[in-house]
Amino acid sequence: MENKKFDLNSLIGFILIGGILIWMLYRNAPTEEELQEKATTEQVEKANETNEVATPTTVDSTQVATTETDSIKQARANAQLGSFGYSNQYDNGTVTTFENDVLFLKVANKGGQIVEAKMKNFKTYDSIPVHLIKDNNASFNINFKTSDNRTLNTENLAFEPTLSKSGDNQVLSMKLKVSNSEYLEYRYELKPGEYMLDFSINSKGLENVLNTSEAAVLNWKLKGYRHAKSISYENRYTEAIYEYEDGKDDYLGQQDFTDDEEEDVTYVAFKQHFFTSILLTDTPFKTGKFTSKNLVEDEDIDTVYTKEFTAQFPLETKGGEIDYNMNWYYGPSDYKILNDYDRNLDEVIPLGWGIFGWINRYVFIPFFAFITSFGVVSYGVAIIIMTIVVRIVLSPVTYKSYLSQAKMKVLKPEINELNEKYKDNPMKKQQETMKLYSKAGASPMSGCLPALMQLPVFYALFQFFPSAFQLRQKSFLWADDLSSYDTIAELPFSIPFYGDHVSLFPILASVAIFFYMTMTTGQTMQQNSQPGMPNMKFIMYLSPLLMLFFFNNYASGLSLYYFISNLITIGIMLVIKNVIIDEDKIHAKIEANKKKPKKQNRFSKKMQEMMEQAEAQKNAKK
């Protein structure tokens, strides 16, 4: 049995060793491309030897070496690239520059792609020109297969550049050639004063060169450069947005994310808070896949890039040729500029969904533009004017809310009596309390509803200020940039969730909201806390503290708005309390309402009947 076992193991060992040897021979065997290259090189060398023998005295040795080198390079290119080896004659290290008064661009022969995109009229927080593309942070590549079964990438191939003019427009043609009349072309057209370029991808005479059974795939990648003082704040508003299925739009969010394939994609935008790179197409991409990767793990270390984006699209052919009309946009994330293109690009600006976005689009953006259009006030003053107007418009709502609080204050002694009288019968206490509210014409909910009505306005403004491009690098008082945080002191250390600096506007806003909450919740805090109810005193102290931490790294323009808004609200409430509202008159009106026969609506009547039935059932069980 041992010999049999030994023989079986030996046989298995021999088979394994034999398999390994065969695999090694296979791996070390020359590939078809290497054999082709060797044969081509031998042919070139043989031809050179023949030339040297035939004309040894008439050919300069330098010319022979150059011809030999060029011939070998071309032969190698033909072996590797097939028909596209023709493109090897063009210089792969050359770039072509073209520009207008707002945009500076460089396009490389290698890949025919934009390798530098610079905003002429904008600087970063440290006074460096704003670059959306520079130093290989982006790539634009088409992966395709040829009819002779090669897989090639345009980013590795040399294009022939031709720069010309069409009227006032600059036109740059980049051709990846198979021959003089057969090529894949990228065509860029730049108009004066425009951030938007016309761009097209089309092929000519490649129907027998491209393998059309498998779609070519367009890949666009970009790592977003840091442009703002706070990389964490900028990164919060850096994201990928795309449009699909005839006007729908979506975004990838803030964390690492890969989106499933979407159909009929018409544009994708890689937004870097205040600047955006967008690729648009007239012919929708059949499908699109998108990824987003957060590159900021530690703000003290990761200071160059914010996020890395990728977009992938299949390119369909028509009659064996590629033909897509597109656009590139490299420019500011300015609502007016993007909206004027009338291509749904306003969705790139995060104005809020539903009613919040509607308020920003049709109320706050036009109103703020109107205030600043005269050019006589600073942007900080414009924020104050806008805040004052908003608070005055909302003052009737504030009045309703405070009036409800005053009524509840007048009724408080009677409510306390009911609480004491029916302390052992919660259901009866609730019935009598509701009767009191009904007779007096008061309701605890009437104070909540006005507050809820203000939420859409507050949230819309919360979205408006961080997205307002007009505030970028505009100073006011001690804040040198209303789109970033203000600084009155630098800390020698960093506090978690707070940062390494002290901002004054959030402190002022926190103090103002503390006094505002003291006025609105002071009456409530005088009452004993009920089981299950929130501790209003705790909330009064917690809310300003949260604002202090939360807004320390936010735009100072937003903190300025909240500070002024709370100051005005406090002033309005003091006027309402001391001038408009008379508690004696309110008490007299409540007493008069009690004497009037009160007709209940159907809902109140039904609720009372249900409570009375429940009370009767409870008494019957005793």
Side-chain angles (χ1 to χ4, degrees):
M1 287 296 290
E2 291 180 1
N3 290 336
K4 185 176 180 180
K5 183 177 181 181
F6 174 79
D7 291 342
L8 181 61
N9 292 336
S10 299
L11 179 61
I12 293 173
F14 281 125
I15 292 173
L16 290 174
I17 292 172
I20 293 171
L21 288 173
I22 293 171
W23 181 80
M24 290 177 66
L25 290 172
Y26 171 75
R27 290 288 293 175
N28 291 321
T31 64
E32 183 179 347
E33 289 79 2
E34 291 173 335
L35 292 173
Q36 289 178 357
E37 182 177 348
K38 182 179 180 182
T40 303
T41 304
E42 290 175 351
Q43 290 176 4
V44 173
E45 290 175 349
K46 185 175 180 180
N48 288 335
E49 289 173 1
T50 303
N51 289 335
E52 289 175 1
V53 171
T55 57
T57 59
T58 59
V59 179
D60 182 75
S61 59
T62 304
Q63 292 177 337
V64 171
T66 302
T67 303
E68 183 181 72
T69 302
D70 291 343
S71 299
I72 291 175
K73 285 183 178 179
Q74 190 60 48
R76 184 179 293 112
N78 291 337
Q80 292 177 345
L81 307 176
S83 301
F84 285 94
Y86 182 90
S87 66
N88 192 61
Q89 62 186 292
Y90 302 111
D91 186 359
N92 233 345
T94 302
V95 296
T96 302
T97 298
F98 67 121
E99 59 187 301
N100 60 17
D101 48 341
V102 297
L103 191 60
F104 175 87
L105 299 169
K106 284 184 180 180
V107 179
N109 282 15
K110 185 178 181 181
Q113 60 183 313
I114 297 173
V115 292
E116 183 175 346
K118 181 176 69 174
M119 307 291 101
K120 286 189 171 184
N121 300 328
F122 302 106
K123 303 286 186 180
T124 65
Y125 72 102
D126 50 359
S127 301
I128 297 173
V130 171
H131 280 89
L132 296 182
I133 299 178
K134 188 183 178 183
D135 298 334
N136 301 315
N137 73 311
S139 67
F140 184 81
N141 176 56
I142 297 178
N143 176 277
F144 63 95
K145 288 193 174 182
T146 62
S147 55
D148 56 356
N149 205 31
R150 286 179 169 83
T151 300
L152 302 177
N153 292 285
T154 58
E155 64 182 355
N156 299 324
L157 304 177
F159 285 66
E160 178 192 25
T162 304
L163 185 62
S164 60
K165 296 201 76 174
S166 175
D168 294 332
N169 302 345
Q170 296 185 68
V171 179
L172 177 60
S173 170
M174 304 295 295
K175 292 181 179 178
L176 175 60
K177 289 188 170 181
V178 170
S179 69
N180 274 331
S181 59
E182 300 169 305
Y183 51 80
L184 174 70
E185 180 186 29
Y186 294 167
R187 185 181 184 278
Y188 302 88
E189 183 168 351
L190 182 60
K191 302 172 184 177
E194 286 281 353
Y195 295 102
M196 184 84 78
L197 297 85
D198 292 338
F199 176 65
S200 63
I201 302 175
N202 57 77
S203 64
K204 181 180 178 182
L206 300 186
E207 65 271 14
N208 296 320
V209 178
L210 300 177
N211 182 352
T212 57
S213 63
E214 294 188 40
V217 178
L218 187 158
N219 290 279
W220 179 32
K221 300 179 182 179
L222 184 140
K223 289 196 292 185
Y225 276 116
R226 174 189 183 178
H227 299 135
K229 183 164 57 174
S230 172
I231 190 172
S232 60
Y233 183 68
E234 181 179 22
N235 204 24
R236 188 177 293 119
Y237 295 96
T238 298
E239 58 190 357
I241 302 102
Y242 55 90
E243 182 187 61
Y244 66 104
E245 291 183 6
D246 194 26
K248 297 179 182 178
D249 55 85
D250 205 347
Y251 60 95
L252 300 192
Q254 300 303 308
Q255 302 304 316
D256 295 354
F257 193 80
T258 299
D259 208 347
D260 296 332
E261 291 191 3
E262 299 290 357
E263 296 182 356
D264 297 328
V265 178
T266 44
Y267 75 69
V268 57
F270 296 157
K271 186 174 77 71
Q272 301 165 238
H273 195 187
F274 284 129
F275 297 95
T276 303
S277 306
I278 310 175
L279 176 63
L280 308 95
T281 177
D282 293 343
T283 304
F285 299 119
K286 187 175 181 180
T287 59
K289 292 182 68 175
F290 312 95
T291 67
S292 174
K293 182 180 180 181
N294 185 22
L295 301 179
V296 181
E297 295 182 2
D298 187 337
E299 186 176 346
D300 295 328
I301 299 173
D302 308 318
T303 58
V304 179
Y305 302 109
T306 51
K307 287 188 175 70
E308 181 177 20
F309 303 113
T310 69
Q312 186 180 94
F313 311 103
L315 298 179
E316 296 181 297
T317 56
K318 298 176 182 178
E321 302 283 8
I322 296 174
D323 185 14
Y324 279 84
N325 290 321
M326 304 182 187
N327 295 94
W328 283 112
Y329 177 87
Y330 294 105
S333 303
D334 187 310
Y335 176 83
K336 185 180 186 309
I337 293 175
L338 293 174
N339 190 54
D340 285 348
Y341 286 114
D342 197 25
R343 299 184 68 174
N344 204 32
L345 296 180
D346 58 299
E347 295 295 339
V348 171
I349 311 300
L351 300 177
W353 53 271
I355 188 174
F356 311 115
W358 186 91
I359 293 173
N360 275 324
R361 283 182 177 86
Y362 302 110
V363 180
F364 292 139
I365 290 177
F367 183 58
F368 193 74
F370 172 76
I371 297 173
T372 57
S373 63
F374 299 101
V376 295
V377 297
S378 69
Y379 281 86
V381 174
I383 291 175
I384 294 174
I385 293 173
M386 183 174 176
T387 308
I388 292 172
V389 172
V390 169
R391 293 313 312 172
I392 291 175
V393 170
L394 292 176
S395 59
V397 179
T398 305
Y399 171 76
K400 288 281 188 182
S401 179
Y402 198 87
L403 178 62
S404 175
Q405 293 180 29
K407 287 182 178 181
M408 296 303 296
K409 182 180 179 181
V410 171
L411 289 174
K412 184 176 180 294
E414 295 183 57
I415 293 174
N416 289 341
E417 289 180 9
L418 292 175
N419 290 338
E420 181 64 27
K421 183 177 180 179
Y422 300 105
K423 61 181 179 181
D424 297 327
N425 192 339
M427 188 168 291
K428 184 65 175 177
K429 179 176 65 177
Q430 187 175 5
Q431 287 178 345
E432 294 301 321
T433 303
M434 289 182 65
K435 286 181 182 179
L436 176 62
Y437 288 152
S438 180
K439 289 180 180 180
S443 170
M445 292 301 296
S446 62
C448 298
L449 292 176
L452 292 175
M453 290 172 61
Q454 298 180 67
L455 285 180
V457 175
F458 291 157
Y459 183 77
L461 287 166
F462 179 80
Q463 293 290 102
F464 169 79
F465 285 107
S467 303
F469 185 84
Q470 302 93 316
L471 297 180
R472 185 179 183 272
Q473 296 183 346
K474 298 297 190 299
S475 61
F476 180 66
L477 298 178
W478 57 86
D480 56 6
D481 185 352
L482 286 169
S483 72
S484 186
Y485 59 80
D486 64 288
T487 306
I488 58 168
E490 298 283 353
L491 300 177
F493 49 84
S494 181
I495 302 174
F497 305 107
Y498 186 75
D500 58 359
H501 64 276
V502 178
S503 298
L504 182 54
F505 275 129
I507 294 175
L508 295 175
S510 298
V511 171
I513 197 173
F514 173 79
F515 281 106
Y516 167 73
M517 294 190 72
T518 301
M519 292 178 62
T520 57
T521 61
Q523 187 67 33
T524 307
M525 287 190 299
Q526 293 175 11
Q527 302 176 21
N528 295 328
S529 297
Q530 300 294 325
M533 295 296 289
N535 188 314
M536 297 306 295
K537 188 173 183 179
F538 173 76
I539 293 176
M540 189 184 75
Y541 287 111
L542 179 64
S543 297
L545 188 63
L546 289 176
M547 173 169 276
L548 182 65
F549 273 78
F550 187 72
F551 283 91
N552 194 61
N553 291 294
Y554 258 67
S556 53
L558 184 62
S559 299
L560 171 62
Y561 161 75
Y562 277 114
F563 170 55
I564 300 299
S565 177
N566 282 304
L567 279 184
I568 296 171
T569 304
I570 290 171
I572 290 174
M573 292 187 68
L574 287 174
V575 171
I576 292 172
K577 178 181 179 181
N578 298 314
V579 178
I580 299 176
I581 290 182
D582 187 330
E583 291 187 3
D584 292 335
K585 290 183 178 180
I586 291 175
H587 187 272
K589 188 174 181 180
I590 288 176
E591 292 300 320
N593 286 337
K594 289 180 182 179
K595 297 175 182 178
K596 294 179 182 178
K598 192 71 175 178
K599 184 179 180 181
Q600 288 183 312
N601 58 44
R602 187 176 299 177
F603 176 77
S604 299
K605 188 175 181 181
K606 187 67 177 176
M607 285 293 297
Q608 184 172 344
E609 288 176 355
M610 291 174 62
M611 293 177 69
E612 289 175 351
Q613 290 175 3
E615 179 69 14
Q617 291 176 0
K618 182 179 178 182
N619 293 332
K621 291 179 180 179
K622 291 182 179 180

